[in-house]
Amino acid sequence: MGAAGVATAATAVTPLAVSAAIAETQERTVPQAQAITGTMPVTLKVNGQSHSVQIDPRATLLDTLRETLHLTGTKKGCDHGQCGACTVHINGRRVNSCLTFAGMQQNVEITTIEGLGQPGHLHPMQEAFVEHDGFQCGYCTSGQIMSAVAMVKEPWGTLDSDVKEAMSGNICRCGAYPNIVAAVQAVRRMA
Amino acid sequence: MDQVTESKVIGVATPRIDGPLKVSGSAMYASDHHFPGLLYAWPVCATISNGTIAHLDTAGAEKMPGVVAVYHRENIGKLYRVPPSTGFTLILDEKRPPLEDDTIRYYGQYVAVAVAQTVEQARAAAESVKVTYNKEKPDTGEKLLGTPLTTDKPDEKSKRGDTAAALQAAKVKVDAVYRIPVETHNPIELHASVAVFDGKKYTLYETSQAVVNHRDVMAQMLGVPTEQVQVITRFLGSGFGGKLWPWPHGLLAAACARNLGRPVKLVVSRQMMFESVGHRPAIDQRIQLAADADGKLTAVQQDYVNHTSMLDDYNEGCGEITPFLYSTPNLLVTGGLVRRNVGNPTAMRGPGAVPGLFALESAMDELAIALKMDPVQLRLKNEPALDESLNIPFSSRHMKECLTVGSEKFGWAKRTPEIGSMKRDGLTLGWGMAACSWLAARIETEATVELLQDGSARVACGTQDIGGGTYTVMAQVVSHETGIPVNRVDVVLGDSSLPPGPISGGSWVTASMTPAVLAASQNAGKALVLAAIKSDGSPFKGKKPEDLELVDGTVRLKGQQQGAVPMAEILRIAKVNSVSGTGKSDSTFGAAKPKVSFHSYGAQFAEVTWQPEIARLRVSRVVTVIDAGRILNPRPARNQIEGAVVMGVGMALFEETMYDPRSGAPINNNLADYVVAVNADTPEIDVTFLDYPDYQLNALGARGVGEIGLAGIASAITNAVYHATGVRVRDLPVRIEDLLVPANRTTHLA
Ligand code: FES
Ligand code: FES
């Protein structure tokens, strides 16, 4: 539903005085819809779904996911490949989406935290993070979980210290590391 | 209010109710919000740190694709300052509104802002704005003590006895200067603001640790009544103090939204976060300790100086803990400020106490060595019977038990004091310890609890959950009082339109919010009882309120299990959707004449491993014992302490923001060059809570755990480094270069 649709729906149920205010707002906020100058068409396959969108050729995969596809589960912590908050999977491998141009990822399978599992049917790694309290603020968590899911399939040893090393590209400023290790190890032991 | 002793929910390890949202990417943080017609703003940052703007040319930028506007001093429109306030209201650190004048006082100060249809366009436009400056020599000088203060002489913060005389007469003395560099909060969530303006009202999605204060400040600065501003922070990617008060970017976003009549998103870059959203200031502290030959302290003096910005005064308050931590007849604490060309400093996790305890607890270690005394014994020996700074009793202090339990858990008895004398697997071990403390307080809070016909409850309070577990603890308190299960309690917070709640600072949310929620739950219960005795069809119709009780989500006659009716059933009978109650808690913070001294306490024990062959230093083990009142939810509480220990490892070994003396730029302005502890740096951490309820603070006996875990850690680690290497590092962080000097030499300030 476009912005106009929202306006209609809102007006239908809103008392007169308020709807006038909304109409005024909508008038100010509507102009968009038409393609933004300087953008180009791309088709991205995210979480098994194909999206054909117009993006700025400079757009990173991270900004495209967040700002164009509104998949905001993937977070931006540095935009420089230094924190891991933006970790997604490309063909099953973990990648920093802030270091990846969206325009170059048209023929690959992209998986984000939203595609991993949602409340009610969480992925075992997501369950383990809840169970082991593997976060505080939760902002690094999508990246931690995407990294962890990929890490489990990588050739690491079985020790806690292997997990700590493998997960050191994902900064958690809240410092929930002991619990992150516990969550990842619980999933690795299950597998 | 009656003390809460027994509970099926309070004190029980409870999974976070917001967990599933956080692990699935569905929790909405400020920058996740999107609205039709959204525009993106990108600030233009000064590339000098002292001088004036000579010329600002936006013509090229304005013509770039997608650019909607470029704002600067002349066209941003009216922005106001906040009036001076005496109470705990209208707080912000950088009081000058952005773009107010052409003077540049710190590197990265905003000089303009570009707004465009995509974030890439906005950034490209901002980078194309041409600015020339009249540049002057900046002052970011690191040496603070002995440089000109903002006042004629340092401020006396606490004083008793005759410190000068006692220092002179001392048998054993320590006199040393300790230095903390600028530390930057660096929460992983970037500061952000999504501003929506409907022609009258601003709805601001902010990264805020204090939505109510944020609303009040923004209303003042935008020049509109408070009811025309709403600030929303449903989820916050933490802040560590950096998101307590509004920063200039939020005002820029709101002004752009106002000027354009369209929603505007402004996300501060990681680089900008080293410039314009606060930092822990650089601090010099001279500590002088004097003691008898048997280790009894006779004098303590602490003189600290912290840097602040050119326009605003930020005082770190390093003497917060010193006056009451130990028993001493003579004590003096002074503090002063020096101005530097830096952005405004602000509170960072454990402000005052954390840097203050680094200095004090390092000096105590040096004193123990001078006395040839065990450092734990030295602290036990100087345990005070009351708060000697105010001559009032402690509400609940178990420092001795923290020290003895910690010693036992750590195995301290096996420590041999000689430098480098302990080995394991070919590594040299260093064992160090420190005591710690942090304030406990309540601040004014209101909360509302509703009981609904569908059997659920709803609790609302204008506070925030910054990762500490506030969502869950609020649900636990309601559940405790009403018997409604935690998962049927709907918690609403992070919105300035809710009943005003505490700022997420000072570790006081739990102590302030829980009594208000408890009272609100009790009042909602009373409203329910009223419905039970007044409604037609109710089995309790005509009874007196005192005949009834609420137990496990039911209403019943006192002491009679039979005939109990579920609360929801009463509401159905009464044909009402919900009953509600409000609750308040008053403030202990900043009381003029306190009758009790409220603080939390702890003991930190650290082990480092040292390989002199390759100069490799690691923190291998930390034991921490915390006396922070009753722990309402041990899971997130333990997580808080562990996380603080991790941050303490960074503080001790890695963290330092460095300024280029020529430009004043923070040169390591990114997460690769400003090193924070990562997973591989995490030691083995053993957390113990003593769990003594502090019933003088509130009915639940809760204090708070957000900051205490960081207090003392850095000194426990540097004390351990001394034990392993013989090098006393008084200038954080510990650098490899420090440890390459021969043993028994100390590092000195330049
Ligand atoms: S945002 Fe991509 S690594 Fe930090
Ligand atoms: S949970 Fe806050 S940064 Fe990891």
Side-chain angles (χ1 to χ4, degrees):
Chain A
M1 184 161 53
V6 173
T8 323
T11 335
V13 294
T14 329
L16 194 62
V18 185
S19 79
I22 289 176
E24 194 188 333
T25 317
Q26 290 300 338
E27 224 171 288
R28 288 156 165 267
T29 55
V30 159
Q32 262 283 280
Q34 67 275 55
I36 294 169
T37 39
T39 57
M40 65 175 209
V42 292
T43 302
L44 297 172
K45 199 164 174 210
V46 185
N47 301 329
Q49 228 187 312
S50 220
H51 301 265
S52 293
V53 287
Q54 290 283 132
I55 61 165
D56 192 299
R58 296 161 293 191
T60 60
L61 178 57
L62 172 60
D63 283 329
T64 304
L65 289 170
R66 291 181 53 78
E67 307 303 337
T68 306
L69 301 180
H70 306 310
L71 291 168
T72 53
T74 307
K75 303 300 186 200
K76 184 187 285 187
C78 68
D79 221 9
H80 276 54
Q82 297 171 338
C83 75
C86 65
T87 308
V88 299
H89 293 173
I90 294 182
N91 293 335
R93 294 184 57 210
R94 47 178 172 163
V95 165
N96 286 336
S97 61
C98 71
L99 291 187
T100 308
F101 281 121
M104 295 169 74
Q105 304 303 326
Q106 299 203 63
N107 296 307
V108 296
E109 297 278 344
I110 300 162
T111 310
T112 69
I113 191 75
E114 291 91 345
L116 204 61
Q118 284 299 304
H121 48 97
L122 294 174
H123 181 279
M125 189 64 79
Q126 292 171 313
E127 299 268 15
F129 266 67
V130 176
E131 178 53 35
H132 293 272
D133 209 34
F135 51 86
Q136 290 176 18
C137 75
Y139 198 80
C140 72
T141 310
S142 302
Q144 301 279 0
I145 291 173
M146 295 311 284
S147 214
V149 168
M151 179 261 161
V152 167
K153 297 190 210 118
E154 293 166 12
W156 292 91
T158 56
L159 302 175
D160 282 6
S161 56
D162 293 309
V163 176
K164 288 166 90 168
E165 202 57 48
M167 293 296 292
S168 275
N170 290 84
I171 298 175
C172 176
R173 184 59 159 161
C174 295
Y177 299 129
N179 295 353
I180 291 170
V181 173
V184 176
Q185 287 293 56
V187 172
R188 294 212 304 168
R189 275 192 292 270
M190 250 157 43
Chain B
M1 203 182 280
D2 291 346
Q3 293 177 4
V4 174
T5 50
E6 299 292 307
S7 178
K8 291 187 198 129
V9 235
I10 301 295
V12 176
T14 308
R16 291 175 203 252
I17 60 172
D18 50 338
L21 293 179
K22 285 181 173 176
V23 299
S24 61
S26 351
M28 291 291 279
Y29 298 80
S31 67
D32 297 342
H33 291 274
H34 189 89
F35 298 92
L38 183 76
L39 297 171
Y40 297 85
W42 195 283
V44 182
C45 301
T47 53
I48 66 164
S49 58
N50 189 20
T52 52
I53 300 171
H55 189 66
L56 191 124
D57 177 4
T58 60
E62 279 164 14
K63 290 196 202 78
M64 290 172 71
V67 174
V68 177
V70 180
Y71 293 112
H72 44 88
R73 177 175 60 75
E74 283 166 21
N75 64 353
I76 186 74
K78 201 73 192 146
L79 296 173
Y80 301 87
R81 291 193 174 215
V82 295
S85 109
T86 48
F88 200 62
T89 56
L90 290 175
I91 308 171
L92 86 165
D93 282 309
E94 184 167 332
K95 302 201 177 49
R96 170 190 175 276
L99 318 181
E100 191 186 62
D101 57 33
D102 285 342
T103 306
I104 306 300
R105 301 171 180 91
Y106 64 88
Y107 194 94
Q109 183 181 315
Y110 300 141
V111 295
V113 57
V115 189
Q117 287 180 290
T118 72
V119 66
E120 295 81 16
Q121 291 166 339
R123 181 177 181 173
E127 286 167 357
S128 302
V129 171
K130 293 196 183 71
V131 194
T132 54
Y133 299 96
N134 303 309
K135 192 178 162 188
E136 283 164 47
K137 200 176 150 30
D139 181 2
T140 55
E142 290 177 12
K143 186 175 158 38
L144 309 174
L145 261 178
T147 66
L149 301 179
T150 56
T151 45
D152 295 345
K153 56 180 177 45
D155 241 21
E156 224 168 62
K157 304 286 183 189
S158 184
K159 182 176 158 55
R160 61 182 183 260
D162 185 345
T163 305
L167 285 169
Q168 189 115 56
K171 291 262 182 329
V172 186
K173 244 180 94 167
V174 168
D175 181 355
V177 173
Y178 302 86
R179 175 167 189 274
I180 307 249
V182 169
E183 293 166 2
T184 303
H185 305 71
N186 278 316
I188 296 303
E189 181 194 31
L190 303 167
H191 287 239
S193 178
V194 179
V196 183
F197 181 60
D198 70 2
K200 188 164 180 229
K201 189 186 162 191
Y202 295 87
T203 309
L204 308 173
Y205 299 84
E206 292 283 349
T207 49
S208 172
Q209 291 177 243
V211 289
V212 174
N213 178 75
H214 204 109
R215 173 201 61 195
D216 295 349
V217 169
M218 293 302 279
Q220 284 286 345
M221 296 186 87
L222 291 163
V224 298
T226 17
E227 59 271 23
Q228 280 170 232
V229 179
Q230 183 179 7
V231 173
I232 294 172
T233 305
R234 294 282 184 220
F235 287 93
L236 185 72
S238 204
F240 310 110
K243 293 172 182 167
L244 274 171
W245 320 125
W247 293 103
H249 66 269
L251 203 61
L252 284 185
C256 291
R258 170 188 72 186
N259 296 351
L260 295 165
R262 286 173 66 172
V264 171
K265 181 187 287 194
L266 192 162
V267 180
V268 176
S269 74
R270 180 60 61 184
Q271 285 60 45
M272 295 172 199
M273 280 178 57
F274 284 80
E275 296 157 359
S276 47
V277 293
H279 56 266
R280 195 198 298 284
I283 308 156
D284 282 357
Q285 299 177 72
R286 181 182 179 195
I287 305 273
Q288 298 178 78
L289 302 179
D292 289 349
D294 65 353
K296 176 76 197 72
L297 282 169
T298 54
V300 173
Q301 182 166 344
Q302 176 184 28
D303 304 291
Y304 72 87
V305 176
N306 70 260
H307 84 199
T308 188
S309 64
M310 285 296 162
L311 287 182
D312 296 294
D313 292 353
Y314 171 80
N315 189 325
E316 177 72 12
C318 294
E320 190 202 317
I321 304 297
T322 319
F324 64 85
L325 191 59
Y326 298 115
S327 172
T328 175
N330 305 295
L331 178 135
L332 179 62
V333 178
T334 74
L337 306 181
V338 299
R339 295 210 186 283
R340 295 290 183 262
N341 287 108
V342 294
N344 218 77
T346 193
M348 179 166 164
R349 202 177 203 173
V354 164
L357 283 164
F358 165 66
L360 181 64
E361 290 301 281
S362 296
M364 285 294 279
D365 199 62
E366 298 199 46
L367 182 65
I369 290 161
L371 287 159
K372 295 196 172 41
M373 192 171 172
D374 180 84
V376 174
Q377 292 306 320
L378 176 65
R379 287 161 175 93
L380 289 171
K381 178 148 196 117
N382 289 288
E383 175 70 10
L386 50 83
D387 180 334
E388 293 178 4
S389 66
L390 302 166
N391 278 316
I392 52 175
F394 295 115
S395 63
S396 169
R397 167 168 167 145
H398 304 87
M399 176 64 96
K400 281 187 158 179
E401 195 174 332
C402 291
L403 291 163
T404 51
V405 169
S407 296
E408 191 156 317
K409 291 212 147 194
F410 190 79
W412 188 257
K414 293 199 270 307
R415 182 178 186 263
T416 54
E418 296 73 29
I419 287 162
S421 62
M422 297 180 69
K423 309 274 178 196
R424 188 178 62 216
D425 304 336
L427 305 172
T428 303
L429 301 183
W431 285 8
M433 56 78 56
C436 67
S437 178
W438 176 250
L439 68 88
R442 288 192 315 265
I443 62 166
E444 271 171 34
T445 300
E446 287 177 40
T448 316
V449 169
E450 264 180 285
L451 306 175
L452 288 100
Q453 209 192 73
D454 65 3
S456 70
R458 180 181 188 273
V459 51
C461 179
T463 187
Q464 309 67 221
D465 186 339
I466 70 170
T470 304
Y471 270 110
T472 311
V473 157
M474 277 170 79
Q476 283 177 277
V477 174
V478 173
S479 177
H480 161 82
E481 186 57 33
T482 62
I484 293 168
V486 164
N487 64 7
R488 298 291 331 265
V489 182
D490 185 15
V491 180
V492 189
L493 50 71
D495 183 337
S496 64
S497 66
L498 299 173
I503 66 162
S504 296
S507 299
W508 59 46
V509 166
T510 304
S512 311
M513 172 276 292
T514 51
V517 170
L518 188 67
S521 304
Q522 288 165 346
N523 288 334
K526 284 183 190 149
L528 188 85
V529 166
L530 201 63
I533 60 177
K534 295 260 186 208
S535 303
D536 288 339
S538 163
F540 307 112
K541 175 136 204 236
K543 299 277 179 224
K544 296 212 174 62
E546 54 272 25
D547 299 338
L548 301 187
E549 64 179 359
L550 303 177
V551 178
D552 290 341
T554 65
V555 182
R556 66 184 199 191
L557 286 172
K558 273 208 177 126
Q560 291 184 31
Q561 219 151 347
Q562 252 199 339
V565 179
M567 292 179 177
E569 182 60 28
I570 297 288
L571 294 175
R572 270 191 292 276
I573 292 167
K575 299 188 177 68
V576 300
N577 180 48
S578 69
V579 287
S580 69
T582 59
K584 284 188 186 188
S585 78
D586 58 354
S587 175
T588 62
F589 183 65
K593 278 212 161 51
K595 291 198 183 67
V596 254
S597 173
F598 290 113
H599 297 275
S600 288
Y601 300 91
Q604 313 275 21
F605 291 80
E607 176 186 270
V608 300
T609 62
W610 169 235
Q611 289 167 274
E613 309 82 2
I614 54 168
R616 186 170 197 256
L617 180 77
R618 307 282 295 167
V619 180
S620 46
R621 195 159 68 89
V622 169
V623 168
T624 165
V625 183
I626 301 291
D627 169 28
R630 183 197 221 159
I631 302 303
L632 303 186
N633 189 355
R635 275 168 61 124
R638 184 170 56 85
N639 199 337
Q640 277 295 308
I641 301 296
E642 288 172 347
V645 168
V646 170
M647 191 177 265
V649 170
M651 178 181 178
L653 302 189
F654 310 130
E655 293 190 34
E656 174 179 22
T657 303
M658 287 175 272
Y659 293 84
D660 181 336
R662 295 160 302 180
S663 64
I667 44 174
N668 57 337
N669 59 358
N670 61 81
L671 292 173
D673 295 315
Y674 182 98
V675 182
V676 299
V678 298
N679 209 322
D681 297 309
T682 310
E684 189 187 315
I685 306 170
D686 177 350
V687 179
T688 303
F689 292 112
L690 294 187
D691 215 20
Y692 289 110
D694 188 342
Y695 287 127
Q696 301 204 58
L697 193 58
N698 53 53
L700 291 154
R703 294 204 289 239
V705 291
E707 283 152 294
I708 179 113
L710 183 60
I713 283 285
S715 45
I717 292 171
T718 54
N719 294 344
V721 167
Y722 179 82
H723 183 226
T725 67
V727 179
R728 173 64 61 184
V729 180
R730 302 197 182 100
D731 185 354
L732 288 183
V734 179
R735 302 165 183 86
I736 288 179
E737 305 88 282
D738 297 331
L739 304 183
L740 295 177
V741 302
N744 296 320
R745 284 255 315 276
T746 54
T747 61
H748 291 286
L749 290 171

